[in-house]
CSV table of all heavy atoms in Angstrom, one decimal:
chain,number,residue,atom,x,y,z
A,15,GLU,N,39.4,47.6,86.4
A,15,GLU,CA,39.4,48.0,85.0
A,15,GLU,C,40.3,49.3,84.8
A,15,GLU,O,40.1,50.2,85.6
A,15,GLU,CB,38.0,48.3,84.5
A,15,GLU,CG,37.2,47.0,84.2
A,15,GLU,CD,37.6,46.3,83.0
A,15,GLU,OE1,38.2,47.0,82.1
A,15,GLU,OE2,37.3,45.1,82.9
A,16,GLY,N,41.1,49.3,83.8
A,16,GLY,CA,42.0,50.4,83.6
A,16,GLY,C,41.3,51.7,83.4
A,16,GLY,O,41.7,52.8,83.9
A,17,GLU,N,40.1,51.7,82.7
A,17,GLU,CA,39.4,52.9,82.4
A,17,GLU,C,38.9,53.6,83.7
A,17,GLU,O,39.0,54.8,83.9
A,17,GLU,CB,38.2,52.7,81.5
A,17,GLU,CG,37.5,53.9,81.1
A,17,GLU,CD,36.4,53.7,80.0
A,17,GLU,OE1,36.3,52.5,79.6
A,17,GLU,OE2,35.8,54.6,79.6
A,18,ALA,N,38.4,52.7,84.7
A,18,ALA,CA,37.9,53.2,85.9
A,18,ALA,C,39.1,53.8,86.7
A,18,ALA,O,38.9,54.9,87.4
A,18,ALA,CB,37.2,52.1,86.7
A,19,LEU,N,40.2,53.2,86.7
A,19,LEU,CA,41.4,53.7,87.4
A,19,LEU,C,41.8,55.1,86.8
A,19,LEU,O,42.1,56.0,87.6
A,19,LEU,CB,42.5,52.7,87.2
A,19,LEU,CG,43.9,53.1,87.9
A,19,LEU,CD1,43.7,53.4,89.4
A,19,LEU,CD2,44.9,52.0,87.6
A,20,LEU,N,41.8,55.2,85.5
A,20,LEU,CA,42.2,56.5,84.9
A,20,LEU,C,41.2,57.6,85.3
A,20,LEU,O,41.6,58.7,85.5
A,20,LEU,CB,42.2,56.4,83.4
A,20,LEU,CG,43.3,55.4,82.8
A,20,LEU,CD1,43.2,55.4,81.3
A,20,LEU,CD2,44.7,55.9,83.2
A,21,LEU,N,39.9,57.3,85.3
A,21,LEU,CA,38.9,58.3,85.7
A,21,LEU,C,39.1,58.8,87.2
A,21,LEU,O,39.0,60.0,87.5
A,21,LEU,CB,37.5,57.8,85.5
A,21,LEU,CG,37.1,57.6,84.1
A,21,LEU,CD1,35.8,56.9,84.0
A,21,LEU,CD2,37.0,58.9,83.3
A,22,ARG,N,39.4,57.8,88.0
A,22,ARG,CA,39.6,58.2,89.4
A,22,ARG,C,40.9,59.0,89.6
A,22,ARG,O,41.0,60.0,90.4
A,22,ARG,CB,39.7,56.9,90.3
A,22,ARG,CG,38.3,56.3,90.6
A,22,ARG,CD,37.5,57.2,91.5
A,22,ARG,NE,38.2,57.4,92.8
A,22,ARG,CZ,38.1,56.6,93.8
A,22,ARG,NH1,37.3,55.5,93.8
A,22,ARG,NH2,38.7,56.9,95.0
A,23,LEU,N,42.0,58.6,88.9
A,23,LEU,CA,43.2,59.4,88.9
A,23,LEU,C,43.0,60.8,88.4
A,23,LEU,O,43.5,61.8,88.9
A,23,LEU,CB,44.3,58.7,88.1
A,23,LEU,CG,44.9,57.4,88.7
A,23,LEU,CD1,45.8,56.7,87.7
A,23,LEU,CD2,45.8,57.8,89.9
A,24,ASP,N,42.2,60.9,87.3
A,24,ASP,CA,41.9,62.2,86.7
A,24,ASP,C,41.2,63.1,87.8
A,24,ASP,O,41.5,64.3,87.9
A,24,ASP,CB,41.0,62.0,85.5
A,24,ASP,CG,40.9,63.3,84.7
A,24,ASP,OD1,41.9,64.1,84.6
A,24,ASP,OD2,39.8,63.6,84.2
A,25,LEU,N,40.3,62.6,88.5
A,25,LEU,CA,39.6,63.3,89.6
A,25,LEU,C,40.6,63.8,90.6
A,25,LEU,O,40.4,64.8,91.3
A,25,LEU,CB,38.5,62.5,90.2
A,25,LEU,CG,37.2,62.2,89.3
A,25,LEU,CD1,36.3,61.3,89.9
A,25,LEU,CD2,36.5,63.6,89.0
A,26,ALA,N,41.6,63.0,90.8
A,26,ALA,CA,42.6,63.3,91.8
A,26,ALA,C,43.7,64.2,91.2
A,26,ALA,O,44.7,64.6,91.9
A,26,ALA,CB,43.3,62.1,92.4
A,27,GLY,N,43.6,64.7,90.0
A,27,GLY,CA,44.5,65.6,89.4
A,27,GLY,C,45.7,64.9,88.8
A,27,GLY,O,46.8,65.6,88.6
A,28,ILE,N,45.6,63.6,88.4
A,28,ILE,CA,46.7,62.9,87.9
A,28,ILE,C,46.3,62.4,86.5
A,28,ILE,O,45.3,61.7,86.3
A,28,ILE,CB,47.1,61.7,88.8
A,28,ILE,CG1,47.6,62.2,90.2
A,28,ILE,CG2,48.3,60.9,88.1
A,28,ILE,CD1,47.7,61.1,91.2
A,29,ALA,N,47.1,62.7,85.5
A,29,ALA,CA,46.8,62.3,84.1
A,29,ALA,C,47.8,61.2,83.7
A,29,ALA,O,49.0,61.3,83.7
A,29,ALA,CB,47.0,63.5,83.1
A,30,GLY,N,47.2,60.0,83.4
A,30,GLY,CA,47.9,58.8,83.0
A,30,GLY,C,47.2,58.2,81.8
A,30,GLY,O,46.3,58.9,81.2
A,31,SER,N,47.5,57.0,81.5
A,31,SER,CA,46.8,56.3,80.4
A,31,SER,C,46.9,54.8,80.6
A,31,SER,O,47.6,54.3,81.5
A,31,SER,CB,47.5,56.6,79.0
A,31,SER,OG,48.7,56.0,78.9
A,32,SER,N,46.1,54.1,79.8
A,32,SER,CA,46.1,52.6,79.9
A,32,SER,C,46.9,52.0,78.7
A,32,SER,O,47.0,50.8,78.6
A,32,SER,CB,44.7,52.1,79.9
A,32,SER,OG,44.0,52.5,78.8
A,33,GLY,N,47.5,52.8,77.9
A,33,GLY,CA,48.2,52.3,76.7
A,33,GLY,C,48.4,53.4,75.7
A,33,GLY,O,48.5,54.6,76.1
A,34,SER,N,48.4,53.1,74.5
A,34,SER,CA,48.6,54.0,73.4
A,34,SER,C,47.4,55.0,73.3
A,34,SER,O,46.2,54.6,73.3
A,34,SER,CB,48.8,53.3,72.1
A,34,SER,OG,48.8,54.3,71.0
A,35,ALA,N,47.7,56.3,73.2
A,35,ALA,CA,46.6,57.3,73.1
A,35,ALA,C,45.9,57.2,71.7
A,35,ALA,O,44.8,57.6,71.6
A,35,ALA,CB,47.2,58.7,73.2
A,36,CYS,N,46.6,56.6,70.8
A,36,CYS,CA,46.0,56.4,69.4
A,36,CYS,C,44.9,55.4,69.4
A,36,CYS,O,44.2,55.3,68.4
A,36,CYS,CB,47.1,56.1,68.4
A,36,CYS,SG,48.4,57.3,68.3
A,37,THR,N,44.8,54.5,70.4
A,37,THR,CA,43.8,53.5,70.5
A,37,THR,C,42.9,53.7,71.7
A,37,THR,O,42.3,52.7,72.2
A,37,THR,CB,44.4,52.1,70.4
A,37,THR,OG1,45.3,51.9,71.5
A,37,THR,CG2,45.1,51.9,69.1
A,38,SER,N,42.9,54.9,72.3
A,38,SER,CA,42.2,55.1,73.6
A,38,SER,C,40.7,54.9,73.5
A,38,SER,O,40.1,54.6,74.5
A,38,SER,CB,42.5,56.5,74.1
A,38,SER,OG,42.1,57.5,73.2
A,39,GLY,N,40.2,55.0,72.3
A,39,GLY,CA,38.7,54.8,72.1
A,39,GLY,C,38.3,53.3,72.0
A,39,GLY,O,37.1,53.0,72.1
A,40,SER,N,39.3,52.4,72.0
A,40,SER,CA,39.0,51.0,71.8
A,40,SER,C,38.8,50.3,73.2
A,40,SER,O,39.4,50.6,74.2
A,40,SER,CB,40.2,50.3,71.1
A,40,SER,OG,40.0,48.9,71.1
A,41,LEU,N,37.8,49.4,73.2
A,41,LEU,CA,37.6,48.6,74.4
A,41,LEU,C,38.4,47.3,74.5
A,41,LEU,O,38.4,46.6,75.5
A,41,LEU,CB,36.1,48.3,74.5
A,41,LEU,CG,35.1,49.5,74.7
A,41,LEU,CD1,33.7,49.0,74.7
A,41,LEU,CD2,35.4,50.3,75.9
A,42,ASP,N,39.1,47.0,73.4
A,42,ASP,CA,39.9,45.8,73.3
A,42,ASP,C,41.1,46.0,74.2
A,42,ASP,O,41.7,47.1,74.3
A,42,ASP,CB,40.3,45.5,71.9
A,42,ASP,CG,39.1,45.2,71.0
A,42,ASP,OD1,38.1,44.6,71.6
A,42,ASP,OD2,39.2,45.5,69.8
A,43,PRO,N,41.6,44.9,74.8
A,43,PRO,CA,42.9,45.0,75.6
A,43,PRO,C,44.1,45.3,74.7
A,43,PRO,O,44.0,45.0,73.5
A,43,PRO,CB,43.0,43.7,76.3
A,43,PRO,CG,42.2,42.7,75.4
A,43,PRO,CD,41.1,43.6,74.9
A,44,SER,N,45.1,45.8,75.2
A,44,SER,CA,46.3,46.2,74.4
A,44,SER,C,46.9,45.0,73.7
A,44,SER,O,47.1,43.9,74.3
A,44,SER,CB,47.3,46.8,75.4
A,44,SER,OG,48.6,46.7,74.9
A,45,HIS,N,47.1,45.2,72.4
A,45,HIS,CA,47.8,44.1,71.6
A,45,HIS,C,49.2,43.8,72.1
A,45,HIS,O,49.7,42.7,72.0
A,45,HIS,CB,47.8,44.5,70.1
A,45,HIS,CG,48.7,45.6,69.8
A,45,HIS,ND1,48.4,46.9,70.0
A,45,HIS,CD2,49.9,45.5,69.1
A,45,HIS,CE1,49.4,47.6,69.6
A,45,HIS,NE2,50.3,46.9,69.0
A,46,VAL,N,49.8,44.9,72.7
A,46,VAL,CA,51.2,44.7,73.2
A,46,VAL,C,51.1,43.8,74.4
A,46,VAL,O,52.0,42.8,74.6
A,46,VAL,CB,51.8,46.1,73.6
A,46,VAL,CG1,53.1,45.9,74.2
A,46,VAL,CG2,51.9,46.9,72.3
A,47,LEU,N,50.2,44.0,75.4
A,47,LEU,CA,50.1,43.2,76.6
A,47,LEU,C,49.7,41.8,76.2
A,47,LEU,O,50.2,40.8,76.9
A,47,LEU,CB,49.2,43.8,77.6
A,47,LEU,CG,49.5,45.2,78.1
A,47,LEU,CD1,48.5,45.7,79.1
A,47,LEU,CD2,51.0,45.2,78.7
A,48,LEU,N,48.9,41.6,75.3
A,48,LEU,CA,48.5,40.2,74.9
A,48,LEU,C,49.7,39.6,74.2
A,48,LEU,O,49.9,38.4,74.4
A,48,LEU,CB,47.3,40.3,73.9
A,48,LEU,CG,46.0,40.8,74.4
A,48,LEU,CD1,44.9,40.8,73.3
A,48,LEU,CD2,45.5,40.0,75.6
A,49,ALA,N,50.5,40.3,73.5
A,49,ALA,CA,51.7,39.7,72.8
A,49,ALA,C,52.8,39.3,73.8
A,49,ALA,O,53.5,38.3,73.5
A,49,ALA,CB,52.3,40.7,71.9
A,50,ILE,N,52.8,39.9,75.0
A,50,ILE,CA,53.8,39.5,76.0
A,50,ILE,C,53.2,38.4,76.9
A,50,ILE,O,53.9,37.9,77.8
A,50,ILE,CB,54.4,40.6,76.9
A,50,ILE,CG1,53.3,41.2,77.7
A,50,ILE,CG2,55.0,41.6,76.0
A,50,ILE,CD1,53.8,42.3,78.7
A,51,GLY,N,52.0,37.9,76.6
A,51,GLY,CA,51.5,36.7,77.2
A,51,GLY,C,50.4,37.0,78.3
A,51,GLY,O,50.0,36.0,79.0
A,52,LEU,N,50.0,38.2,78.5
A,52,LEU,CA,49.0,38.5,79.5
A,52,LEU,C,47.6,38.0,79.1
A,52,LEU,O,47.2,38.3,78.0
A,52,LEU,CB,49.0,40.0,79.9
A,52,LEU,CG,50.2,40.6,80.6
A,52,LEU,CD1,49.9,41.9,81.1
A,52,LEU,CD2,50.8,39.7,81.7
């Protein structure tokens, strides 16, 4: 799960994201990734 990965990276001192920061509170998968067929 992307959220678990981000938390572990954060503990390691690495800041990343799973998509748009504007929708970071949503549990739905990225509309962009769904649109490219994933």
